[in-house]
Amino acid sequence: MLIHGGRDTTVNPQELERLVAAAPDSTEHWQVSGAEHCRAYFADRQAYRTRVLTFFERALRPVPNPMTISQKDRQQTRSRRTVLPAESRALMEEQDAPKQEIPAAHRKRTMFHAFAMFTGYPRAYWYLLFGTLINGTATFVLPFESLYLVSVRHLLVSQASAIVALYGIGSCVSALLGGVLADRIGRRPTILSGLVGLTATTFALAFIQETWLIALLTFLMGFWISWYRPASNAVLADLIPQARQAQANSLVYWAYNLGMAASPLLASIIVPYIGYTILFCADGIGTALFCLLIFLGLPETRPTATRSSMHSVPQLKQAASTSGIWRNGRFLLYTGLSFFLTSIYFQYSSTLPADMQLHGLDAAHYGLVISINGIVVVLLGLPLSHLLTRFAPFKALAVSVLLLGAGFGLTALADSLFSLPLYAGSVLVWTIGEIIFVPVSATIVALLSPTTERGLYQGVARMSWGLSAFAGPLLGGLVLQQWGFALWIGCAVLGTGLAWSFLLLGRVKNRAQLNEEALPSSANALASKLVPSPEMEMYLAKCGKSVLTDGKRKAKTAAS
């Protein structure tokens, strides 16, 4: 009998395919969704006991000597060995639900294995992906709002920049709140309310004339976007097994960028002939279509109960509930490191065009160079997302931050080499890093977060992105103004240091493992009054913990 955890980070759950293929035909296999390495027992103790005892009863039942029994008796013996109690069959059918099965693309390798990344996902995932594609294609306000404010509303460049910066502030304000609501009221209502608010805000921006109202609506746009995105990331963590989350996030990221690649082309057609009002209305229509797809195809995915060891140990459950996100040191450290990572990344929108201008290149050259980013994402997004399944998340993140640091570090050579080709090469390098780290970051947040608090953790991660979008360009501009190309050397050095930090952080045990290893201490507190169960004795003995009750200790002391 092979028992494999669905979130096993020691042995990839996809390897269950090879284990089953190598085992005899009579081998039974069971993949426990959400369980770490050797932690299937603590995912659902009752189901584990029933299933394992049933397996032993069936497999180890004595069989009479085949030389002394008839053919009829032999058939009856076989039938008795395959009969399971009704209660056991019900538990096994529950544990063998489709969401816990290995996708067909991973069970059988065919000549179409290159398309395996598109198979095995639930229907709700495709509603979310196509909605993201539509939303990305109809994203017109954010890229063109500053041009709209200067050319149509006749604001100064500094005023337009200040208004656009309010988007980042709104994003920081709502990220945490949206994550909390995703855990409290559910993913679906949080996403729908955010998209409805974003639709109304976008349509209002198309017709509002007053500057202060435009500033307020820009703030609300950032507010509503960060309101629903933590819930959207939590949905992916709810729907997709951990082994495929990086790939699933990569497909969503690729779909969004595919739409963003078409967005400027559509805008260049709409603005000269129709104007900005229709352009912003088209953005609102795209958001409304996204909302409609979520309403029709996305059910509520928020877990209603956590199947973990905390159900059996009330003291441990209480300790975990009071600890909270702010005592999860590994996640907080990851969030802090991610702040510096994204601060490097957001230099593309602020200091990079400023540096190009210092080297005699204008906005047209910047547009040409930055277009490489969208082209590379569309061309390499899918192949790289397929490769992500072969690497541990923290190792992939370390590679991505090395590429980001190296890509921006190449910009320092613009003084001594041809500027335009060098800028294009640097964008190519850090874009590959971007393709890796954006989906992997969401996967790591899901890996570090408890099942019932995924929205909260995604919200805190999203808030970190908003802060870096504000602080990164600000600090980068100051460094570029004072020390010039030292900014890009600093990006390369910081990227190298962050890569080592992420590798070391990947070796630290995650929160679920720490909670499970806290189980023996909680059990020992109960052991002074209660006789531990045989299962608890076996587990504590494996961990090297004492399981002696007061009576056993006294007897042992008296004997000694």
Side-chain angles (χ1 to χ4, degrees):
M1 182 178 184
L2 303 176
I3 304 176
H4 204 151
R7 296 182 65 179
D8 194 334
T9 57
T10 303
V11 180
N12 194 319
Q14 297 177 9
E15 295 299 323
L16 181 58
E17 169 197 351
R18 297 176 59 189
L19 292 174
V20 173
D25 294 337
S26 59
T27 300
E28 179 180 339
H29 61 276
W30 178 28
Q31 187 178 33
V32 183
S33 177
E36 246 289 355
H37 185 66
C38 295
R39 296 294 190 270
Y41 172 75
F42 301 99
D44 192 333
R45 301 186 181 202
Q46 181 60 38
Y48 185 94
R49 283 194 292 264
T50 302
R51 188 150 186 166
V52 171
L53 291 176
T54 302
F55 168 75
F56 281 138
E57 181 183 2
R58 182 177 68 253
L60 302 181
R61 177 176 295 175
V63 180
N65 190 338
M67 301 297 296
T68 61
I69 60 177
S70 63
Q71 180 68 24
K72 181 178 180 180
D73 293 335
R74 200 174 281 121
Q75 294 177 353
Q76 292 177 350
T77 301
R78 292 195 189 100
S79 63
R80 284 198 302 270
R81 294 183 66 187
T82 57
V83 172
L84 298 177
E87 179 182 359
S88 300
R89 287 200 304 270
L91 285 171
M92 292 174 66
E93 290 173 358
E94 177 184 354
Q95 293 299 323
D96 287 333
K99 64 179 181 179
Q100 298 181 7
E101 293 180 356
I102 300 177
H106 294 278
R107 291 197 302 266
K108 184 179 180 180
R109 297 180 182 272
T110 66
M111 63 181 297
F112 300 103
H113 181 68
F115 299 97
M117 68 177 68
F118 296 102
T119 62
Y121 297 113
R123 185 180 65 175
Y125 170 80
W126 294 108
Y127 277 91
L128 185 63
L129 184 140
F130 284 116
T132 303
L133 174 62
I134 294 173
N135 192 37
T137 306
T139 299
F140 300 119
V141 174
L142 291 179
F144 295 93
E145 185 179 10
S146 59
L147 294 175
Y148 164 74
L149 294 174
V150 173
S151 60
V152 178
R153 300 302 177 194
H154 306 293
L155 299 180
L156 299 177
V157 174
S158 58
Q159 293 175 326
S161 300
I163 290 176
V164 173
L166 293 175
Y167 169 86
I169 299 176
S171 177
C172 294
V173 170
S174 67
L176 185 59
L177 179 59
V180 172
L181 288 178
D183 293 329
R184 294 290 188 269
I185 67 175
R187 300 4 176 171
R188 190 171 186 265
T190 304
I191 296 175
L192 289 175
S193 60
L195 291 176
V196 169
L198 182 59
T199 302
T201 302
T202 306
F203 277 112
L205 267 173
F207 300 100
I208 291 298
Q209 303 291 328
E210 291 79 5
T211 302
W212 69 274
L213 284 177
I214 294 175
L216 176 61
L217 291 173
T218 303
F219 170 85
L220 289 176
M221 177 172 288
F223 181 90
W224 291 119
I225 287 179
S226 287
W227 174 282
Y228 83 83
R229 281 187 176 173
S232 177
N233 291 335
V235 165
L236 290 176
D238 296 336
L239 292 175
I240 309 300
Q242 191 272 328
R244 300 197 69 188
Q245 282 181 17
Q247 190 177 76
N249 284 309
S250 296
L251 285 176
V252 173
Y253 168 73
W254 176 81
Y256 181 77
N257 279 274
L258 181 62
M260 289 292 292
S263 176
L265 177 62
L266 295 175
S268 64
I269 298 174
I270 295 174
V271 172
Y273 298 99
I274 305 177
Y276 283 98
T277 299
I278 301 301
L279 182 71
F280 290 177
C281 288
D283 193 326
I285 293 172
T287 306
L289 291 175
F290 187 16
C291 184
L292 179 62
L293 285 175
I294 295 299
F295 178 78
L296 295 176
L298 183 66
E300 179 55 57
T301 63
R302 177 172 61 102
T304 57
T306 306
R307 290 187 298 177
S308 65
S309 59
M310 292 188 293
H311 284 285
S312 301
V313 185
Q315 289 84 351
L316 182 58
K317 181 177 180 180
Q318 182 179 1
S321 63
T322 56
S323 61
I325 187 174
W326 307 115
R327 296 179 62 182
N328 191 333
R330 192 185 188 209
F331 173 75
L332 294 178
L333 182 57
Y334 165 77
T335 304
L337 294 175
S338 297
F339 170 81
F340 293 103
L341 166 61
T342 51
S343 295
I344 296 175
Y345 169 69
F346 283 118
Q347 301 304 315
Y348 85 92
S349 62
S350 57
T351 53
L352 180 60
D355 189 82
M356 293 181 66
Q357 187 176 11
L358 293 175
H359 288 84
L361 302 177
D362 56 15
H365 292 97
Y366 173 72
L368 178 63
V369 168
I370 206 65
S371 64
I372 297 175
N373 176 263
I375 296 173
V376 173
V377 170
V378 172
L379 294 180
L380 299 183
L382 291 182
L384 287 179
S385 66
H386 181 65
L387 291 176
L388 285 178
T389 58
R390 304 183 182 181
F391 297 94
F394 280 98
K395 292 182 179 179
L397 190 61
V399 173
S400 70
V401 71
L402 274 178
L403 291 171
L404 275 172
F408 283 103
L410 287 174
T411 309
L413 302 176
D415 289 329
S416 57
L417 299 177
F418 295 104
S419 296
L420 188 61
L422 188 90
Y423 283 120
S426 69
V427 170
L428 173 64
V429 174
W430 63 254
T431 297
I432 297 176
E434 174 194 346
I435 295 173
I436 299 174
F437 95 82
V438 171
V440 169
S441 296
T443 302
I444 292 178
V445 174
L447 181 65
L448 297 179
S449 59
T451 304
T452 56
E453 297 181 355
R454 283 171 176 163
L456 173 62
Y457 278 65
Q458 294 288 352
V460 173
R462 178 71 185 174
M463 184 173 63
S464 172
W465 274 64
L467 291 175
S468 61
F470 173 76
L474 179 63
L475 295 177
L478 293 175
V479 175
L480 181 65
Q481 182 177 349
Q482 296 294 329
W483 295 286
F485 68 90
L487 169 67
W488 311 116
I489 297 177
C491 288
V493 173
L494 181 59
T496 303
L498 288 174
W500 283 106
S501 300
F502 282 122
L503 285 176
L504 293 177
L505 185 60
R507 296 178 177 271
V508 180
K509 295 179 180 179
N510 60 30
R511 187 183 183 189
Q513 291 173 320
L514 293 177
N515 285 342
E516 289 167 1
E517 292 180 358
L519 181 62
S521 61
S522 300
N524 278 329
L526 297 174
S528 60
K529 298 181 180 180
L530 303 175
V531 177
S533 64
E535 295 89 351
M536 183 62 70
E537 288 186 357
M538 293 173 61
Y539 176 73
L540 295 176
K542 180 180 178 181
C543 298
K545 301 292 184 179
S546 174
V547 295
L548 295 178
T549 61
D550 286 343
K552 291 183 179 180
R553 286 195 183 89
K554 292 178 181 178
K556 185 175 180 179
T557 303
S560 61

